[in-house]
Amino acid sequence: MVGLREPGGYRRFRQDLGRGILLGLEFLVAADIIRTVAVVPTLEGVLALGLIVLIRTFLSMALQVGLEGRWPWQSVDAVSPIPASAPDPSTPRDPTGMEADPNAKPPRPGR
């Protein structure tokens, strides 16, 4: 298991947790469908199942957009994902945009 303090650890944790929630939602939808088919289907039961499936589908899509940063029907190439090793925006940088070396000595003023 990846520690949260490792680079990209928090992002990986969020993605794993989100995928687990998505999988759980899929199992719940399947269980509702099986339950509706196993008992005598009534109009009320079928309508309730349809509403539950719509709500869970919306939640699944919202989670997927949050995890992957794209809609399920978008191709992976259409979106430029942020790599897991993206630099931390709070890291100090020098004027050229490179990460500043915390051990570097400040430059001497010119004479």
Side-chain angles (χ1 to χ4, degrees):
M1 184 169 175
V2 176
L4 294 179
R5 296 188 187 268
E6 293 180 21
Y10 177 71
R11 181 183 311 256
R12 190 169 299 125
F13 172 75
R14 277 187 57 207
Q15 288 177 341
D16 290 345
L17 180 63
R19 286 187 185 108
I21 292 171
L22 283 171
L23 182 63
L25 283 171
E26 296 297 328
F27 277 114
L28 289 172
V29 168
D32 285 336
I33 291 171
I34 290 170
R35 186 181 59 209
T36 302
V37 172
V39 297
V40 178
T42 63
L43 181 61
E44 184 179 308
V46 171
L47 290 176
L49 173 66
L51 181 62
I52 290 170
V53 168
L54 281 175
I55 291 170
R56 289 186 180 156
T57 301
F58 172 77
L59 288 173
S60 295
M61 289 178 60
L63 277 169
Q64 186 171 4
V65 169
L67 288 173
E68 297 180 6
R70 65 179 179 88
W71 292 103
W73 54 83
Q74 276 183 314
S75 67
V76 178
D77 298 335
V79 179
S80 60
I82 299 172
S85 62
D88 183 6
S90 64
T91 303
R93 303 198 175 279
D94 66 13
T96 62
M98 301 299 291
E99 287 186 19
D101 182 7
N103 298 324
K105 296 179 182 175
R108 297 176 123 187
R111 294 186 186 204

